[in-house]
């Protein structure tokens, strides 16, 4: 018997291959599916079945593609938002045998109506579940968000409470195998740890400490989560299935970039520091490792893209991140910016400011200056900056008109990384005098604690 976890950085998505006696099951595969076949082959098995624990909002499922490549059957829970064309419906009690391994479906709605969990049994060593794939119902340190059905907020929160009790009833010994880990937008309180048991979660997971159903509902309804606009696009693709990911992007030259004109979005995937030093005019700053979290807010799936990357490997990684969320129209990449600037083409730069500068401006606030905080709402409520205007970085493109473009703007976040992204959005929107508070809230708190 074997179990392997596959992590998708940035999205904090977790998928799994589990198998025995020549057969393997894949749980929640991502779009680039080759890794699952490789793991199965390395363990002398073949993929015979695929489970989706719920409709994916934050990435494209690879279940249909993997089924085409392997001939495996795909199982999806009941009550989906439409016909899942590549899958069979797996209802409560459905079982799949892989040698002595037995996978048993449990309907666990709440996060989504079609959510299922999959209990894992070893028939050769006892009757109790050894593990459970919990999808997005139960995480390590948190539970699933329940805001996808706003008109049924109390109902779905109650459904999740009931589902969690079913999962916990499997016993404290069962290992928890969720579909997302810390950093995912599918929950806000996940522990930065990739292993746990139901027993540990029962004792330590804050949401599982809420003993009564009504109290749980009240807490869940009061939560605030952001929903990137590309989530709706994911829902559609994950009903119909999708095409394989596109090949690696090709290197482009200066004349290629100029030839695209305004018909293409320039996405700079280098570090924020490299972007600040010099960047193509009008380009968006979205560092490669931050693409999964923010590209879906700032870019539309139908837009054509050119990447500005340090090298081919960074461009390839960026294109893969984009492909996992359905952004396929990458025309190529410009290797660095030196060819651009040595060709005499115009370029921009971005200023960083420190804590002393921000404090000085706050103490004697210029009439033509504003401080923009682009952190999430929960972060702002926990620690506010004096006189800062708050707009979440993902919502900034739609709220530019709410800010005064005639004023200079200093952008801040938790450390300065999201602020750099936001500053590029402002500059692309026509704001002329923008700088970034490097260190942001972390530096501010450090200074205050040292005072």
């Amino acid at each position: 018997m074997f179990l392997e976890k596959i992590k998708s950085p940035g999205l904090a998505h977790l998928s799994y291959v589990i198998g025995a006696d020549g057969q393997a099951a894949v749980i929640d595969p991502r779009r680039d599916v080759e890794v699952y076949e490789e793991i199965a082959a390395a363990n002398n098995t073949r993929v015979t079945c695929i489970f989706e624990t719920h409709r994916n909002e934050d990435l494209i499922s690879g279940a249909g593609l993997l089924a085409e490549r392997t001939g495996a059957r795909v199982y999806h829970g009941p009550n989906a938002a439409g016909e899942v064309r590549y899958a069979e419906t797996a209802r409560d009690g459905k079982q799949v045998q892989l040698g002595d391994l037995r996978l048993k479906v449990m309907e666990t709605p709440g996060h989504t109506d079609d959510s299922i969990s999959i209990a894992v049994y070893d028939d050769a060593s006892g009757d109790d579940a050894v593990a459970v794939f919990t999808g997005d119902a139960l995480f390590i340190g948190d539970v699933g968000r329940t805001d996808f059905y706003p008109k049924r907020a109390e109902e779905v929160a109650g459904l999740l409470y009931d589902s969690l009790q079913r999962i916990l009833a499997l016993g404290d010994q069962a290992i928890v195998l969720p579909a997302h880990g810390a950093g995912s937008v599918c929950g806000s309180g996940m522990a930065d740890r990739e292993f746990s048991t139901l027993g540990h979660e029962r004792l330590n997971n804050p949401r599982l400490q809420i003993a009564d159903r009504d109290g749980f509902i009240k807490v869940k309804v009061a939560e605030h989560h952001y929903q990137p606009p590309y989530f709706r696009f994911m829902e559609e693709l994950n009903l119909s299935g999708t095409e394989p990911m596109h090949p690696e992007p090709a290197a482009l030259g200066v004349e290629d970039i100029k030839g695209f004109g305004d018909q293409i979005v320039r996405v700079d995937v280098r570090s924020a520091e490299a972007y600040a030093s010099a960047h193509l005019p009008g380009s968006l700053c979205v560092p490669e490792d931050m693409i999964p979290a923010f590209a879906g807010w700032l870019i539309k799936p139908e837009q054509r893209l050119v990447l500005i990357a340090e090298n081919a490997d960074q461009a390839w990684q960026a294109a893969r991140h984009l492909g996992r969320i359905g952004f396929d129209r990458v025309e190529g990449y410009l290797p660095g910016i030196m060819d651009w600037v040595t060709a005499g083409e115009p370029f921009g730069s971005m200023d960083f400011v420190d804590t002393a500068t921000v404090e000085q401006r706050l103490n004697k606030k210029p009439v033509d200056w504003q401080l923009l905080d682009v952190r999430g709402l929960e972060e702002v409520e926990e620690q506010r900056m004096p006189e800062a205007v708050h707009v979440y970085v993902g919502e900034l493109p739609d709220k530019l008109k709410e800010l005064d473009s005639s004023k200079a703007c200093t952008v801040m976040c938790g450390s300065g990384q999201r602020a750099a992204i936001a500053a590029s959005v402002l500059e692309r929107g026509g704001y002329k005098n923008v700088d970034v508070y490097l260190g942001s809230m972390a530096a501010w708190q450090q200074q205050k604690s040292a005072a």
Side-chain angles (χ1 to χ4, degrees):
M1 299 180 184
F2 73 95
L3 170 67
E4 290 201 33
K5 178 191 301 180
I6 299 90
K7 296 184 287 185
S8 299
L11 290 170
H13 170 252
L14 304 174
S15 52
Y16 304 87
V17 184
I18 186 171
D21 290 355
Q23 300 179 77
V26 177
I27 317 297
D28 291 324
R30 65 193 186 195
R31 188 182 183 188
D32 41 325
V33 298
E34 297 82 3
V35 62
Y36 308 109
E37 294 177 282
E38 292 168 1
I39 291 172
N43 287 277
N44 298 313
T45 60
R46 64 185 183 89
V47 177
T48 56
C49 65
I50 303 160
F51 285 93
E52 292 185 317
T53 58
H54 62 293
R55 79 183 195 200
N56 278 290
E57 302 283 348
D58 62 329
L59 80 162
I60 296 177
S61 168
L65 293 172
L66 186 58
E68 290 178 5
R69 293 170 65 105
T70 62
R73 301 174 74 170
V74 181
Y75 298 106
H76 191 100
N79 306 311
E83 179 189 0
V84 184
R85 298 175 192 168
Y86 52 83
E88 305 174 32
T89 299
R91 298 191 176 276
D92 202 81
K94 167 71 179 179
Q95 298 190 71
V96 170
Q97 201 79 32
L98 307 170
D100 286 332
L101 277 176
R102 178 164 48 94
L103 308 183
K104 185 177 181 179
V105 171
M106 305 166 59
E107 294 181 26
T108 50
H111 171 67
T112 61
D113 286 340
D114 57 357
S115 174
I116 59 174
S117 297
I118 305 159
V120 181
Y121 297 87
D122 177 5
D123 289 339
S125 62
D127 297 329
D128 294 330
V130 296
V132 55
F133 297 103
T134 55
D136 279 8
L138 173 63
F139 301 119
I140 296 174
D142 200 0
V143 300
R145 57 192 288 184
T146 57
D147 61 315
F148 293 132
Y149 309 95
K151 294 181 179 179
R152 299 166 50 209
E154 293 188 357
E155 176 197 351
V156 295
L159 287 173
L160 182 60
Y161 178 86
D162 297 338
S163 294
L164 292 169
Q165 306 317 302
R166 287 200 70 195
I167 293 171
L168 290 172
L170 292 171
D172 288 353
Q173 77 291 333
I175 299 167
V176 178
L177 302 169
H180 286 92
S184 167
V185 296
C186 297
S188 57
M190 298 182 207
D192 190 13
R193 170 171 39 86
E194 295 185 3
F195 50 90
S196 191
T197 63
L198 289 181
H200 185 87
E201 293 306 304
R202 188 195 306 275
L203 293 174
N204 297 284
N205 188 314
R207 292 294 182 255
L208 298 183
Q209 305 307 300
I210 306 171
D212 66 289
R213 192 175 192 270
D214 290 341
F216 182 87
I217 292 171
K218 183 177 180 180
V219 168
K220 292 301 291 181
V221 169
E223 288 180 346
H224 180 271
H225 297 279
Y226 292 101
Q227 291 193 36
Y230 85 95
F231 274 19
R232 304 286 81 80
F233 179 54
M234 294 299 93
E235 289 180 17
E236 296 173 10
L237 287 180
N238 287 335
L239 289 174
S240 61
T242 187
E243 299 296 321
M245 287 179 65
H246 288 195
E248 300 173 19
L252 301 172
V254 172
E255 293 304 317
D256 297 318
I257 304 296
K258 290 171 62 180
F260 288 124
D262 296 332
Q263 304 303 310
I264 204 153
V265 179
R266 299 168 177 178
V267 184
D268 196 319
V269 303
R270 300 173 301 153
S271 69
E273 293 80 5
Y275 177 90
S277 177
H279 56 261
L280 272 63
S283 58
L284 286 171
C285 171
V286 192
E288 177 258 311
D289 61 342
M290 300 178 80
I291 286 173
F294 297 107
W297 286 100
L298 308 178
I299 305 167
K300 294 180 174 58
E302 66 273 12
Q303 289 179 315
R304 298 165 64 202
L305 312 176
V306 162
L307 309 179
I308 296 87
E310 295 286 2
N311 49 49
D313 184 64
Q314 188 179 63
W316 179 83
Q317 293 292 350
R320 179 146 293 206
H321 287 315
L322 290 164
R324 286 173 182 161
I325 60 175
F327 291 70
D328 288 337
R329 303 196 67 185
V330 177
E331 302 291 340
Y333 74 97
L334 182 67
I337 195 172
M338 288 308 298
D339 286 348
W340 181 268
V341 298
T342 55
E345 298 298 332
F347 62 92
S349 60
M350 183 171 65
D351 290 335
F352 288 142
V353 296
D354 60 10
T355 299
T357 301
V358 172
E359 187 168 35
Q360 182 181 31
R361 291 173 180 174
L362 287 170
N363 289 338
K364 191 176 180 180
K365 188 175 180 182
V367 294
D368 60 348
W369 175 78
Q370 58 192 330
L371 178 62
L372 176 63
D373 187 345
V374 298
R375 293 177 296 158
L377 181 60
E378 290 183 352
E379 295 173 275
V380 172
E381 290 177 342
E382 183 178 334
Q383 179 71 53
R384 292 184 179 272
M385 275 293 287
E387 301 186 52
V389 177
H390 174 241
V391 179
Y392 177 60
V393 58
E395 297 179 342
L396 189 58
D398 294 330
K399 295 188 175 182
L400 287 177
K401 293 181 180 179
E402 297 179 15
L403 301 171
D404 189 344
S405 60
S406 67
K407 290 185 177 181
C409 185
T410 296
V411 192
M412 63 159 291
C413 59
S415 65
Q417 295 298 307
R418 287 172 291 175
I421 295 174
S424 76
V425 173
L426 291 171
E427 290 186 346
R428 196 165 187 266
Y431 286 68
K432 302 299 183 185
N433 194 351
V434 180
D435 55 31
V436 169
Y437 176 12
L438 191 61
S440 286
M441 182 53 73
W444 181 266
Q445 290 177 319
Q446 181 68 26
Q447 188 217 48
K448 294 304 176 185
S449 64

